[in-house]
Amino acid sequence: MSLVLERIPGAVPAFKLVLQDLAATEQLAAMLAPWLSTGDVVALSGDLGAGKTALARALVRALSGDPALEVPSPTFSLVIGYEFGRGKVAHADLYRLQDPDELEEIGWDELSEDAILLVEWPDRAEERMPADRLDIALELAPDLGPDARRAVLVGSGAFVERLDRLHISEFLIETSGFAGADRHYLQGDASSRSYARLVRGSRSAVLMNAPRRPDGPPVRRGLPYSRLAHLAEDVRPFVAMARALRAEGLSAPEIYAADLERGLLVLEDLGADGVVSGTPPEPIRERYEAAIEVLAALHGRSLPSVLHIAPQVEYVLPTYTLEAFLIELELLLDWYLPFRGAQVDNIVREEFLLLWRSALSAVLNAPQTWVLRDFHSPNLIWLKDREGLAKVGLIDFQDAVLGPAAYDVASLAQDARVDVSETLEAQLLSHYVRLREEAEPTFDAMRFGHLYALMGAQRATKILGIFARLNARDGKPHYLRHLPRIRRYLARCLSHPELGSLRMWYEAVLPSRDFHT
C-alpha cells in the first residue's frame, strides 16, 4: 500500500499521513531519505511509544542503504553517530537531557553542521534547535489499527520548499505508475542534483531531483559562472537533449513524467552496469570502444541546434564560446594553484589567458557538433541486451553545447575518474579516426590530433580547478584523489608539438612535481 501525503490547509505547508504499521514507517523513511543531506535536521516529537525511535531507526537504515543495519537506541549515550557513503548521520535522543546547556557536552553545534541529525524529544533542546528543519509529530491512532500512527510533517525555513517538492514528486511518481515503489538513494554526481531508484516489482525508474541552480555571485560582466560557462540551470536542457539523443537512436533515458518548473523528473532506469570493472576500477576495453563508436557516429551526422522539449517549447543549444573556455580555465588560477600553495599575479594571469586565446583559435574555427561535455565512465551505462550504438546508455548531458568533436573524445579517452593507459588511449583514438575516415574520406586526422590535445589540456586544466573547488568550497575532499591522474593527462596533452608555448607556462608556474606524478 502506498503512503498518501495529504496537505493540511494553512499558510505554512504541512502534510499529514497515516502509518498503518512498521512497514509504512519504513516506507516513509525511504521516501524522506533521498531528500536529506549534510546539515539537515529532522525533529521527531510525540509521546512515549508514539513511534519516534522506530522512525529514527528506519531513517538511519534508509540513509545507510542497509535494511539490516543494527541501530541501537541512544537513550543513555544521548547521541550515536554513523558514517555512510553519503556522509555522516547522528541519531540523538534527548529524553534524559536535564538542561539545554548539556548539549555542549555532546558537541551539538558540530552535529547539526556536518551530519544529518535525527532528534527525538527535540523540545528538550529548546532554542538550540535550528530554524531550518523538518518536524515530524507522531501520535498513536488506535481507532485505525493496533499499530497505526498519525504523522504530521511541517517544514521550517529551507525545508518549506523542499517538503513541497517532495509532495509534488510523489504525484509524479504516482502518475508514472510507480506509486508504492521502494526507494533507494543513488549516489549522485558533483552537482546539487539528487537521485532515487524507484523499484516496484520487476520494474524500476529513477527520480531526479534537480532544483533550479542558483546563479551565484557575478564574476564577469555581471554574470555568474554558470551562465558564462553555459551550465544548465534547470532541467529543460536535460529533457531537450534526452529527447534529441533518443531521436538519433541512442540510449538516453525515456522521460516518464516531468515538472519542468520545479526540476523533478521520473526517468527510465538504465541500470547500474557501467563501462569499468575491478577495484580500483579499470576500463573495459570493448565498452570504451563501443562508446567511441557512439561519438564517431554522432560526429558524422548533421545535428540540429534547436531541440524540442514539449509542444511549442524549444531549447537552443548554446555555443562553446571563447569566453566559456576561458572562464573554465581560470579555475586553475583561482582554486587549484592556491590549493597547491601557489599564487599568480595579474601579469602571470594575463600571460596565461593570452596563450590560451591564441591556442583556442584553432578550436573556434573547427566544425561544430553536439558536445555532451561529461562523456566518461560515471555517465555511461552498459546495456547488454540492446544492439549496436544503443548498447551504450547515456546520462548527465544537461550541460551540452555546440563545439568541437575532440572535446568528448578527450573526455572519454582521458577519463577523469579512472586510469586510461596511454596504450588504450591511442587505441581509442585510432578507432575513432578510422571510423571517421571511413564515413568521411576528407576527415583530417592530423588536425583532429591537434584539437584533441588542445581540448584534453583545456579539460584537464578545468578539472584540476573544479576538484580543488569541490574540496575547499563544498567540503568534498574525496575528489582530490583524482588529481594525480588529471595531472598525468595534462602532461600528455601538453607534450603535443603544437602546445609548446602552453607547456612552458605550466612548467614555469605549476609546482614541478605536478608533471612527475
Side-chain angles (χ1 to χ4, degrees):
M1 181 182 295
S2 60
L3 297 181
V4 178
L5 281 175
E6 182 182 346
R7 184 183 289 271
I8 299 172
V12 177
F15 301 88
K16 62 182 179 179
L17 72 162
V18 173
L19 304 175
Q20 201 67 45
D21 50 25
L22 180 59
T25 297
E26 293 170 344
Q27 192 175 347
L28 174 60
M31 180 192 297
L32 294 172
W35 297 84
L36 300 176
S37 58
T38 298
D40 287 341
V41 176
V42 180
L44 305 172
S45 60
D47 292 334
L48 285 169
K52 301 182 296 299
T53 300
L55 180 52
R57 284 173 169 157
L59 278 166
V60 171
R61 292 185 180 114
L63 291 165
S64 74
D66 180 1
L69 180 72
E70 183 69 25
V71 183
S73 171
T75 300
F76 293 101
S77 60
L78 294 186
V79 63
I80 296 177
Y82 304 86
E83 189 148 3
F84 305 132
R86 61 187 294 186
K88 296 179 181 178
V89 176
H91 175 196
D93 184 337
L94 306 184
Y95 180 70
R96 294 175 59 248
L97 196 72
Q98 300 298 315
D99 188 307
D101 290 341
E102 295 176 35
L103 292 172
E104 297 293 345
E105 299 175 13
I106 62 172
W108 178 259
D109 292 336
E110 291 76 13
L111 285 176
S112 58
E113 290 176 359
D114 67 356
I116 297 172
L117 179 58
L118 313 176
V119 187
E120 299 183 53
W121 300 98
D123 56 298
R124 302 289 205 273
E126 298 179 352
E127 71 277 359
R128 298 291 296 274
M129 289 295 294
D132 293 344
R133 65 178 187 268
L134 172 62
D135 285 290
I136 303 179
L138 298 161
E139 67 175 13
L140 293 169
D143 55 313
L144 300 177
D147 299 317
R149 269 84 174 160
R150 289 185 177 89
V152 174
L153 282 63
V154 180
S156 301
F159 256 103
V160 172
E161 180 187 2
R162 209 183 316 180
L163 193 55
D164 187 59
R165 291 174 62 78
L166 184 152
H167 183 240
I168 297 298
S169 73
E170 289 302 307
F171 172 76
L172 293 178
I173 289 168
E174 182 178 357
T175 59
S176 59
F178 285 89
D182 293 333
R183 319 295 170 88
H184 303 280
Y185 172 81
L186 295 176
Q187 189 67 44
D189 47 25
S191 73
S192 59
R193 295 181 293 273
S194 64
Y195 304 86
R197 176 167 282 122
L198 312 172
V199 180
R200 185 175 184 183
S202 61
R203 301 172 57 238
S204 65
V206 172
L207 171 67
M208 177 177 174
N209 173 31
R212 182 173 178 82
R213 181 183 307 194
D215 284 344
V219 296
R220 188 160 303 155
R221 295 192 292 106
L223 298 175
Y225 176 84
S226 59
R227 194 73 54 81
L228 293 167
H230 303 309
L231 303 181
E233 295 179 347
D234 58 37
V235 296
R236 288 172 175 82
F238 180 92
V239 173
M241 184 51 71
R243 290 179 170 161
L245 289 167
R246 289 176 62 82
E248 293 295 326
L250 302 178
S251 292
E254 181 181 353
I255 297 167
Y256 298 144
D259 186 320
L260 298 179
E261 290 300 321
R262 291 179 174 84
L264 295 166
L265 304 175
V266 180
L267 309 170
E268 176 187 9
D269 182 7
L270 297 181
D273 192 7
V275 296
V276 298
S277 67
T279 305
E282 295 181 355
I284 301 173
R285 176 179 169 178
E286 60 269 26
R287 299 184 183 184
Y288 271 65
E289 288 179 345
I292 275 288
E293 289 165 8
V294 168
L295 291 179
L298 202 58
H299 296 163
R301 299 175 185 176
S302 177
L303 300 170
S305 60
V306 180
L307 309 181
H308 177 71
I309 297 177
Q312 300 184 332
V313 181
E314 294 181 328
Y315 174 69
V316 179
L317 270 177
T319 299
Y320 216 154
T321 59
L322 175 62
E323 184 176 42
F325 282 123
L326 292 177
I327 197 70
E328 291 178 335
L329 287 161
E330 286 187 80
L331 293 173
L332 178 91
L333 310 180
D334 297 334
W335 294 95
Y336 178 74
L337 288 180
F339 165 73
R340 298 291 280 168
Q343 299 290 338
V344 295
D345 58 25
N346 287 336
I347 294 175
V348 175
R349 178 182 290 267
E350 285 305 314
E351 182 184 19
F352 175 80
L353 294 174
L354 182 65
L355 287 168
W356 269 108
R357 284 191 186 97
S358 175
L360 287 167
S361 62
V363 172
L364 301 177
N365 295 322
Q368 292 186 334
T369 187
W370 291 350
V371 177
L372 304 187
R373 231 168 174 179
D374 278 318
F375 194 89
H376 60 166
S377 58
N379 301 326
L380 302 174
I381 309 297
W382 187 247
L383 304 169
K384 62 182 180 62
D385 294 329
R386 300 191 185 183
E387 299 294 329
L389 300 178
K391 279 185 173 293
V392 181
L394 308 175
I395 59 175
D396 199 6
F397 37 70
Q398 61 281 334
D399 295 329
V401 291
L402 289 172
Y407 188 95
D408 280 347
V409 179
S411 180
L412 179 68
Q414 294 192 340
D415 194 318
R417 302 297 183 88
V418 298
D419 290 331
V420 179
S421 69
E422 291 188 67
T423 299
L424 178 57
E425 180 185 6
Q427 291 170 342
L428 293 171
L429 282 176
S430 296
H431 190 44
Y432 176 86
V433 169
R434 183 168 60 254
L435 291 170
R436 293 298 307 275
E437 288 176 336
E438 289 173 356
E440 185 184 345
T442 58
F443 179 78
D444 190 336
M446 185 171 294
R447 183 187 184 198
F448 179 81
H450 173 207
L451 295 177
Y452 172 86
L454 191 58
M455 288 295 86
Q458 192 275 346
R459 180 172 169 80
T461 300
K462 170 181 72 172
I463 292 174
L464 288 176
I466 289 174
F467 286 177
R469 183 177 67 182
L470 284 167
N471 171 62
R473 188 191 70 183
D474 303 333
K476 298 179 178 180
H478 55 281
Y479 285 95
L480 298 180
R481 70 179 186 270
H482 300 298
L483 293 182
R485 176 186 307 116
I486 306 304
R487 291 194 291 260
R488 289 194 296 271
Y489 290 154
L490 177 60
R492 282 187 208 173
C493 293
L494 292 175
S495 66
H496 191 281
E498 295 281 353
L499 306 187
S501 296
L502 279 171
R503 180 176 178 84
M504 290 176 62
W505 185 95
Y506 281 83
E507 289 180 335
V509 175
L510 266 64
S512 60
R513 59 186 179 278
D514 279 13
F515 280 88
H516 299 89
T517 57

